[in-house]
Amino acid sequence: MLVSILPIFVLWGIISAAMEEHLLNDRLEDIRFQTHLVAVSLNDSNYINEPTIRPVVNAELRRNAIQISAGISILDSMTVVIFNSQDDGYMEGSTWPSFNVITALEGTPSYSVQTNEEDLVSIEYAAPIFDGYNNIVGAVVLSHIIPDAGEMVAAINNRTIWLVAAIGIVVAVLVLAIASWLLKPLKEVLSAVKNISDGHLNQRIELSGKDEITALADAVNDMTQKLENTENTRQEFVSNVSHELKTPLSAIKVLSESLLYQDDVEKETYKEFLWDINSEVDRMSDIINELLTLVRLDETELPLNITPFTCNSLLEGIIKRLKPLADQKDIKIDFNAEFQIDMEADEMKLNLALSNIIENAIKYSHQGGLVEVMLDSDSKNAFITVVDQGIGIEEESQDKVFYRFFRADKGRDRESGGTGLGLAITHKAILLHKGSIRLSSKVDEGSIFTVRVPLVTKL
Ligand code: ADP
């Protein structure tokens, strides 16, 4: 509002000053003309030196003075007043050595503009009078009060003030309307953000357009969607954890109660039940250990312990460790690497990640199957491919195998001792290395997991 009203005030000031100046110049020009007219009429007339002709001329001058509403004074070369048309002016016979008079007597017309105590503007104009020989013999002074100058300016100002007020009101209304129109979407965003921060994660902002506020609303919507997803995942995770731990706990309860409420239980039965209880406890501790591993990988500031190592040896070590498991099902593990691949990465975490994939390949292979592990690289990445001829994963489950607690076939996989956390850990560890993991699989034909890890991991 200030920005729009201030220039109007400045303009007002400039216009009223210009009008005043114009008015003054107009009058000044008029007075100058009149003064010269009087001076010219007195030139060569002997008026100054010959008092006898004065009365006739004086009468003429007085009429003239009334006509042009100015005071006319005639002075001789000694600044003595010879004639004054105004009674309140300088007395005839007194001297009037004002600047204008002296300058005029020196040959140059001169004027001054003054404002008196009543704010009236007066103009005084003096011009020389010559005799027949071009000598300065006196001066004529016209004094004129511009009676209407103040009033005219005040009238203009009065009108302008109404104009300024009207423009001000229109501008104010416009500014307020535009501001509230511009701020409306921002207010919507603000109230939505408040709602979101109060926990209403399903809140979305509906704005359409291509401006920055719509872009902000879209960004807030994206952020809220991610928050909602994270919240859903967290809730799902908590319910999965409870469910997964409840299963072995209920088994332990059933087993122990059946022992407690039975009399004369045989020693073998006791042992058998205790073995079952023991394996359920193992299962619970597996789940808890893997959860702890995941939580540790989730800590974003967790630094990778990067060391140089040979990927071939890493894979050979894993295969050697898993051989007894493969032997149980008569599964053959083939390892193929064309050349030695040296890496700089977190060896322990990669070991964990790749072990899970190879162990799965064995777990989900049929008796007597074949698991192939291949190692290759380009200038930047190492590629590890694990191929099995096992049960495979159906199309719609392939994306989900990296989710926590996801099992393609709940019943069968639990029997296989899986927790559903292995591939989540693998995925997380590979992402920490800025690598990627891909899966292609066909039910009853087998699965291929391809892992890409940068040869040198930078933190
Ligand atoms: P689990 O401990 O159950 O093996 P994972 O996270 O390692 O958990 O795997 C998740 C699920 O993905 C498994 O339960 C299984 O259904 C499926 N899966 C993983 N690897 C294979 C594979 N090589 N062949 C078939 N299914 C697999």
Side-chain angles (χ1 to χ4, degrees):
M1 276 177 71
L2 261 184
V3 166
S4 18
I5 291 179
L6 219 60
I8 298 173
F9 272 101
V10 172
L11 209 65
W12 175 21
I14 292 172
I15 289 173
S16 77
M19 298 219 33
E20 259 186 87
E21 200 181 311
H22 176 75
L23 206 70
L24 194 71
N25 283 340
D26 206 38
R27 282 307 161 93
L28 196 62
E29 200 49 43
D30 204 24
I31 296 299
R32 191 163 70 123
F33 179 68
Q34 297 296 343
T35 314
H36 282 288
L37 265 187
V38 175
V40 166
S41 72
L42 295 177
N43 280 350
D44 313 338
S45 69
N46 242 346
Y47 172 87
I48 306 286
N49 299 328
E50 196 54 70
T52 50
I53 61 162
R54 284 185 201 159
V56 184
V57 179
N58 285 355
E60 181 69 23
L61 285 175
R62 247 182 257 283
R63 267 201 302 280
N64 221 338
I66 293 166
Q67 241 174 27
I68 61 172
S69 54
I72 301 179
S73 308
I74 312 290
L75 296 92
D76 68 10
S77 56
M78 303 307 287
T79 73
V80 177
V81 178
I82 298 172
F83 167 78
N84 188 353
S85 70
Q86 285 167 312
D87 299 333
D88 55 347
Y90 279 85
M91 294 283 290
E92 285 166 19
S94 61
T95 53
W96 183 10
S98 74
F99 173 80
N100 290 331
V101 170
I102 291 169
T103 315
L105 286 174
E106 281 168 359
T108 319
S110 168
Y111 73 91
S112 58
V113 178
Q114 275 163 358
T115 309
N116 68 9
E117 310 87 63
E118 289 147 43
D119 244 10
L120 290 174
V121 181
S122 66
I123 301 172
E124 194 181 285
Y125 202 101
I129 302 170
F130 297 91
D131 66 5
Y133 307 100
N134 225 12
N135 295 319
I136 297 167
V137 287
V140 55
V141 181
L142 248 76
S143 335
H144 172 72
I145 292 177
I146 308 176
D148 46 0
E151 281 169 32
M152 272 182 77
V153 172
I156 292 166
N157 280 354
N158 259 346
R159 278 185 204 177
T160 325
I161 207 161
W162 283 113
L163 191 72
V164 170
I167 293 175
I169 290 169
V170 171
V171 167
V173 170
L174 273 178
V175 165
L176 286 176
I178 292 172
S180 74
W181 175 70
L182 280 179
L183 289 178
K184 194 173 161 254
L186 208 58
K187 278 187 187 157
E188 251 176 66
V189 174
L190 194 72
S191 93
V193 169
K194 274 189 189 146
N195 264 345
I196 293 163
S197 71
D198 285 345
H200 301 286
L201 295 181
N202 55 353
Q203 170 88 44
R204 294 291 179 275
I205 310 163
E206 312 271 334
L207 286 185
S208 58
K210 281 189 176 146
D211 53 9
E212 281 74 9
I213 298 179
T214 315
L216 175 72
D218 288 347
V220 170
N221 284 344
D222 271 2
M223 187 191 72
T224 319
Q225 184 62 53
K226 283 190 183 130
L227 278 176
E228 201 179 4
N229 290 350
T230 311
E231 180 57 20
N232 288 345
T233 316
R234 194 186 64 84
Q235 281 177 8
E236 203 177 306
F237 182 64
V238 170
S239 87
N240 279 341
V241 171
S242 327
H243 178 76
E244 290 299 324
L245 290 176
K246 234 177 109 185
T247 317
L249 260 183
S250 334
I252 291 170
K253 181 131 180 86
V254 170
L255 288 165
S256 55
E257 274 180 356
S258 55
L259 284 182
L260 282 173
Y261 298 131
Q262 266 184 60
D263 298 323
D264 310 324
V265 185
E266 283 176 18
K267 199 177 164 200
E268 280 70 43
T269 318
Y270 251 117
K271 242 192 162 162
E272 195 193 321
F273 275 39
L274 279 176
W275 271 117
D276 288 347
I277 290 175
N278 191 42
S279 77
E280 290 299 336
V281 170
D282 281 347
R283 190 173 156 65
M284 278 175 79
S285 102
D286 279 354
I287 293 173
I288 288 167
N289 282 337
E290 295 204 330
L291 276 176
L292 286 176
T293 310
L294 257 180
V295 169
R296 256 180 261 130
L297 287 175
D298 272 344
E299 287 168 7
T300 39
E301 62 273 18
L302 171 104
L304 289 174
N305 180 20
I306 297 185
T307 50
F309 61 91
T310 308
C311 197
N312 307 53
S313 329
L314 172 74
L315 286 168
E316 280 158 8
I318 295 172
I319 292 168
K320 194 171 163 209
R321 187 165 49 77
L322 290 174
K323 190 154 187 314
L325 186 72
D327 285 345
Q328 282 175 15
K329 285 166 82 179
D330 212 7
I331 290 169
K332 189 166 171 271
I333 308 180
D334 258 5
F335 176 48
N336 293 305
E338 294 286 317
F339 41 83
Q340 177 174 319
I341 292 168
D342 294 319
M343 295 183 72
E344 281 179 38
D346 190 322
E347 191 177 359
M348 265 216 350
K349 292 193 181 76
L350 278 191
N351 191 321
L352 190 67
L354 297 172
S355 296
N356 283 338
I357 299 178
I358 300 172
E359 189 177 335
N360 278 347
I362 299 167
K363 273 198 310 194
Y364 301 108
S365 276
H366 304 293
Q367 185 81 22
L370 171 71
V371 170
E372 285 174 270
V373 179
M374 287 168 279
L375 173 62
D376 199 358
S377 82
D378 62 12
S379 59
K380 286 190 177 141
N381 297 291
F383 299 95
I384 300 111
T385 313
V386 179
V387 185
D388 68 57
Q389 301 162 346
I391 58 171
I393 304 165
E394 52 188 11
E395 186 90 33
E396 56 268 30
S397 299
Q398 289 182 13
D399 283 344
K400 300 183 193 138
V401 292
F402 302 105
Y403 293 174
R404 294 161 189 203
F405 292 116
F406 177 81
R407 295 192 192 92
D409 181 341
K410 300 248 180 254
R412 186 163 52 172
D413 294 346
R414 192 167 288 144
E415 273 166 34
S416 74
T419 58
L421 291 169
L423 285 181
I425 293 174
T426 299
H427 189 233
K428 190 84 207 178
I430 300 290
L431 284 191
L432 277 178
H433 282 86
K434 301 189 178 75
S436 61
I437 181 164
R438 270 190 307 131
L439 159 65
S440 96
S441 182
K442 262 206 169 130
V443 175
D444 288 334
E445 282 184 23
S447 310
I448 305 172
F449 283 86
T450 311
V451 174
R452 177 187 63 80
V453 187
L455 288 176
V456 177
T457 301
K458 295 190 188 77
L459 283 178

